[in-house]
Amino acid sequence: MDATPKHLTIINGRLFLPGASMGPRSGDAPTALVIEDGRISAVVSDDEALRLRHPRAEVIDAAGGSVLPGFDDAHIHVIPGGQWDGLLALRGAATVPELQARIAEYGAAHPELPWIWGGGWHYAAWGDAKPAKELLDAVLPDRPAMMTCMDGHSYWVNSAALRAAGIDRHTPDPVNGTIVRDPATGEPTGWLKEKAGQLIYRVMPEPTHHDLKLALRRAVQALNASGFTAVQDARTDPREVPVWREVLAEGGLTLRSRIALPMAPEQSLADWRTTLDEHEELVAPLRGGDWLTSGIVKGFVDGVIESRTAAMLAPYEGEESSGVPAFEPEQLTAFTVEAHRRGWQVQLHAIGDRAVRMALDAFEAAGRRRHRVEHVEVIHPEDVKRFAALDVVASMQPAHAFSAPDRAHDWHGVIGPERAAANWPMSAIHASGGVIALGSDWPVVDFDPFMTLHAAMSADHALTLPQALTAYGRGSAYAAHAEHRRGDVAVGMDADLVVLDRDLLDAGDVRGAGVMATIVDGVVVHRAAC
């Protein structure tokens, strides 16, 4: 980013101020912002803003549209999202024949690729069937192929991929992974769950450093164009940290970015201490930075409900299994306490109600440091108030609830109607005083902020639009320990803002809203074409 002073004046806007409500703007509400040196210096009327503005300041006319804190995606996978551009996209395919047709077309168009890699398929496309190698062999018989599920927790592979990875009926399941097998023969069926996917990744061609830089730059530009001014990368491979640093040094990182390093269960506590030493050395140059920071680690407590790998307190419908956590409870607590002791914030992927409880138990043992539970898709009612009591952030991605083609999730047949009714408990956590931070989990679902807002207002336990906007701004900033710098339209805050083409608070349906301008540090990093 340019280090020169940044001066802007925004007039004729519907400012989203702390405590804002729905409905038409009141006549005496401020409509303008004065921005100097990258910070908001005045929240005033249009006339006053024009009087106060810097002589060299650009004037942006919001034309009555909303002026909001820039969107801050609290849970996203930036480089993987950027890698998907141009790859085989299966999102939205509603049936297996549609999946096969897309795969066959892509394979025919790319005869030069030694591997075919795609992703985005949804469990709903399978109906009563399950991922099977024969169905992929039918359209890609000769080249190894892997199709990653939209949630990143299941993998559909063909026979050639299984051979390339040396996976057969004698291959043991990896730790925290499952090779789904034919019950009669023991042969792999072509469906891999959780860490079993790593058996394929280790033999696939790896992206180059240049590929990763292009993916990051591509993602940053797309996110800026959708109104994002900040992102919190939910799990950054340590090998990707130099990529982030290089793009920053080259001026291509026009998003406030925070990266979380991995906390893996496949190690001892002594190994974890060594890993923390390595993490601390890796991110030491990022401390105190305005654009790229860390200080947080990410662990997976469980999987996902659709593949029955989420850890539940009671068994899945029609099964004896309730899902197996990736960590033992004592191990999770010990790892969390150690990270906390050394000054790290911890975020834990926890979808099932047992996993959420394990995460909260670990945070209670560690102490208050604004730790985070990621996803929180099902929760036991007794655990709702613990978020506020422990100062734990509920980092949630409501668009997951609507990721199935043409319909919302239906979990009644998987976890039963009572638990299904407790999904995505945003309003309950909010009402109890807990902090909600919103994100997308892109590329699991699209990062479209208006879809996230719509989903947050449409789920069974919905937020109001002002609550959702607050969660997307102040809540996400709070999750990153950055609420003193961003997340509110107020004097002294960084000028990280988005100007929309309509007044969201008076528009009703938020879907389809457009971004007129995205402003980071007082600089317009995206402007809509006239």
Side-chain angles (χ1 to χ4, degrees), residues 109-233:
H110 296 279
E112 78 285 359
L113 295 178
W115 277 74
I116 301 296
W117 179 33
W121 59 266
H122 198 283
Y123 299 95
W126 293 91
D128 295 330
K130 296 177 180 179
K133 59 189 176 185
E134 293 81 6
L135 294 171
L136 195 46
D137 291 345
V139 291
L140 284 174
D142 301 321
R143 282 178 289 175
M146 178 169 76
M147 305 296 131
T148 305
C149 180
M150 45 75 66
D151 61 19
H153 290 259
S154 281
Y155 309 85
W156 175 30
V157 298
N158 66 357
S159 297
L162 291 170
R163 288 193 298 270
I167 301 173
D168 59 24
R169 63 190 180 92
H170 302 294
T171 306
D173 286 345
V175 176
N176 295 317
T178 301
I179 302 169
V180 179
R181 306 171 194 273
D182 183 300
T185 67
E187 291 291 337
T189 65
W191 184 10
L192 307 176
K193 297 182 181 182
E194 304 296 340
K195 288 298 181 68
Q198 297 299 321
L199 301 176
I200 302 293
Y201 277 123
R202 71 184 184 188
V203 297
M204 288 176 63
E206 291 193 0
T208 67
H209 185 83
H210 179 68
D211 292 336
L212 296 175
K213 283 182 67 175
L214 287 178
L216 178 54
R217 284 181 169 271
R218 187 184 299 124
V220 168
Q221 291 174 2
L223 287 157
N224 280 158
S226 290
F228 288 95
T229 60
V231 290
Q232 299 172 47
D233 199 71

Side-chain angles (χ1 to χ4, degrees), residues 471-496:
Y472 228 161
R474 188 190 309 162
S476 292
Y478 186 85
H481 289 271
E483 74 280 6
H484 62 293
R485 295 285 302 271
R486 64 178 190 255
D488 276 321
V489 176
V491 171
M493 303 295 279
D494 287 340
D496 296 354

